[in-house]
Amino acid sequence: MLAFEYIDDNERLEALVRQYEQADLLVLDTEFVRTRSYYAKLGLIQAYDGQTLALIDPLAVTNLSVFWALLTQPNLIKVLHSCSEDLDVFAHYAQCQPAPLFDSQIGASLAGLGHSLGYAKLVEQLLSVNLDKGESRTDWLKRPLSQAQLDYAANDVYYLYKLYPQLIETLKNQSRLDWVLAESERITQNRLTPVDPEEAYLKVKNAFQLLPKQLACLRDLAKWRLEVAVKRDMAVGFVIKDHALISLSKKQPKSMAQLAKLTDLTEQEKRVHGKKIIEIMSQVSDEFLPEPIDVIALKTGYKSAFKAIKQVLVTQAEAAQVPIELLGSKRHIHEYLRWLWDGKKGDLPLILTGWRANIVGDHLNDIAV
């Protein structure tokens, strides 16, 4: 059982922060619950500087601002593992992103240890320690937390601190530490920018199937749904499902009677949102219709172009011993193709920047797409 401090009041947190401010390294993790809510519900913060392992109770501490200030302290590197969801938590609660940041999952990937390694697997691989993941389904908002739950949470930062030096040494030997720091910084970008309600329809599954007038309906419905979700802190799918929005946009009911006949909406959705839906549908304008959604996979020559680019990336990824998923995912290839087919206008695509450019180099210039 690891020794830790349970921080549940402002005074103790302030004293802890004063200590952490003197450190060079702070390992972090968060535990949260996100089932029906739009925003994750923060249940616990774990932190370890090599001296004091702290479990911070955000349900008891009333002022976390002093702790959040550590996230942007420039001389304090923040270490997290597979931190995408943690970054969302920080964006919402702290209104900032950790910098400088080292994501150990990215570090392990670029060190050649395996792509998307889970924390327990990485600990086992580098430290020969088998972690008990039995508390992974804990309700972190419930109090009191059991000793087993607290130990589980403490393990998530304790062993990460222990394995960090091994990762750093390997990456320095490979001259890839800068790659990891750059990639870790990249994944923090744009997380403080809220979703534009006017563009929420672009994230609705199968929106590309719709004609301009139908897209206009979807645009207005998706905007309303997002605003409701944020206001009520509900996951958008619990306001109304994607497939229901698509059905509404295609059939465009003008009355409650017509709405009642639609089978893609639940009776509860019709009862709770029916009048508002009809109101929105009645106000959709024929002016300023959205452009049809451009689906790159439907373009002429897409399959052969994608295959050629993917083969180049696979070859270079193997030569550099970098996972292809990290070097150039399907989304990254699409970004490159759009840029290429648009006459190379605008910002360079990701695979032609930073450490990826070191690997890909001019190899993509050798193919005709």
Side-chain angles (χ1 to χ4, degrees):
M1 186 172 67
L2 300 177
F4 58 81
E5 290 189 17
Y6 191 82
I7 307 296
D8 57 2
D9 64 65
N10 294 346
E11 184 176 350
R12 294 176 67 193
L13 179 63
E14 290 170 5
L16 178 72
V17 168
R18 286 194 294 270
Q19 174 189 318
Y20 284 168
E21 286 174 338
Q22 307 307 311
D24 299 319
L25 177 73
L26 187 63
V27 179
L28 295 170
D29 191 23
T30 65
E31 305 295 349
F32 51 85
V33 175
R34 190 174 192 173
T35 51
R36 299 179 62 91
S37 61
Y38 186 79
Y39 298 107
K41 303 293 186 182
L42 182 58
L44 197 68
I45 305 167
Q46 303 102 289
Y48 186 39
D49 66 345
Q51 296 184 38
T52 301
L53 197 162
L55 303 181
I56 303 166
D57 186 348
L59 305 185
V61 175
T62 59
N63 182 17
L64 286 166
S65 61
V66 291
F67 183 81
W68 297 139
L70 291 171
L71 295 181
T72 54
Q73 186 171 309
N75 63 332
L76 179 64
I77 188 164
K78 275 64 68 173
V79 180
L80 294 98
H81 185 82
S82 185
C83 64
S84 181
E85 291 183 305
D86 301 291
L87 296 181
D88 288 340
V89 168
F90 296 148
H92 177 58
Y93 287 94
Q95 297 295 303
C96 68
Q97 291 289 271
L101 170 66
F102 180 96
D103 185 316
S104 54
Q105 186 177 72
I106 294 172
S109 186
L110 286 175
L113 299 177
H115 182 62
S116 292
L117 276 182
Y119 175 65
K121 190 67 175 178
L122 183 60
V123 169
E124 180 183 0
Q125 192 166 326
L126 293 186
L127 301 177
S128 299
V129 174
N130 293 308
L131 294 178
D132 180 5
K133 304 298 286 184
E135 302 298 332
S136 59
R137 296 186 180 275
T138 288
D139 179 356
W140 295 103
L141 301 178
K142 192 175 181 178
R143 294 296 185 271
L145 294 171
S146 70
Q147 186 64 49
Q149 291 165 339
L150 296 172
D151 290 341
Y152 167 91
N155 284 341
D156 279 349
V157 289
Y158 178 79
Y159 291 105
L160 185 51
Y161 185 90
K162 295 297 183 184
L163 64 80
Y164 174 76
Q166 291 189 43
L167 270 182
I168 292 296
E169 181 180 5
T170 301
L171 290 164
K172 284 183 175 179
N173 290 338
Q174 297 172 334
S175 299
R176 292 185 176 184
L177 178 56
D178 288 344
W179 295 11
V180 178
L181 295 175
E183 189 67 11
S184 297
E185 190 277 332
R186 186 188 70 81
I187 64 174
T188 67
Q189 295 173 0
N190 301 319
R191 290 184 184 269
L192 300 182
T193 304
V195 178
D196 183 353
E198 297 289 345
E199 296 184 356
Y201 75 100
L202 296 173
K203 294 184 178 295
V204 177
K205 186 177 181 180
N206 294 324
F208 73 91
Q209 298 175 349
L210 303 184
L211 300 173
K213 178 60 184 291
Q214 295 172 333
L215 270 179
C217 295
L218 182 65
R219 176 194 60 201
D220 294 354
L221 287 169
K223 176 184 177 181
W224 158 77
R225 180 179 70 166
L226 177 60
E227 290 170 344
V228 170
V230 172
K231 182 179 180 180
R232 299 184 183 178
D233 193 14
M234 297 171 59
V236 291
F238 286 105
V239 179
I240 188 169
K241 299 288 192 295
D242 275 11
H243 68 87
L245 292 187
I246 295 294
S247 178
L248 286 167
S249 301
K250 287 180 176 179
K251 298 178 181 178
Q252 300 176 26
K254 299 297 190 297
S255 67
M256 290 297 290
Q258 293 177 354
L259 181 69
K261 296 178 182 179
L262 297 185
T263 58
D264 290 296
L265 278 76
T266 66
E267 293 306 312
Q268 181 179 356
E269 289 169 343
K270 294 173 186 177
R271 183 175 64 255
V272 175
H273 303 301
K275 290 183 179 179
K276 184 63 179 179
I277 288 171
I278 296 301
E279 177 187 338
I280 292 170
M281 302 297 285
S282 67
Q283 294 175 354
V284 175
S285 172
D286 287 333
E287 298 182 10
F288 308 112
L289 297 178
E291 293 290 327
I293 295 176
D294 182 22
V295 181
I296 193 168
L298 299 180
K299 289 183 176 293
T300 302
Y302 163 78
K303 287 185 177 180
S304 59
F306 183 93
K307 183 178 180 180
I309 295 168
K310 182 67 175 286
Q311 185 56 55
V312 169
L313 294 179
V314 167
T315 300
Q316 298 310 311
E318 290 176 351
Q321 295 185 317
V322 169
I324 180 60
E325 299 90 344
L326 191 59
L327 177 63
S329 66
K330 183 178 181 179
R331 179 171 59 85
H332 297 150
I333 296 175
H334 284 182
E335 180 190 38
Y336 173 75
L337 266 178
R338 289 184 189 281
W339 173 80
L340 194 64
W341 286 345
D342 196 32
K344 300 184 178 180
K345 297 176 183 176
D347 296 336
L348 285 174
L350 184 67
I351 58 177
L352 295 183
T353 64
W355 63 269
R356 290 177 173 85
N358 294 340
I359 296 175
V360 175
D362 297 325
H363 297 286
L364 288 175
N365 293 334
D366 299 332
I367 62 174
V369 292

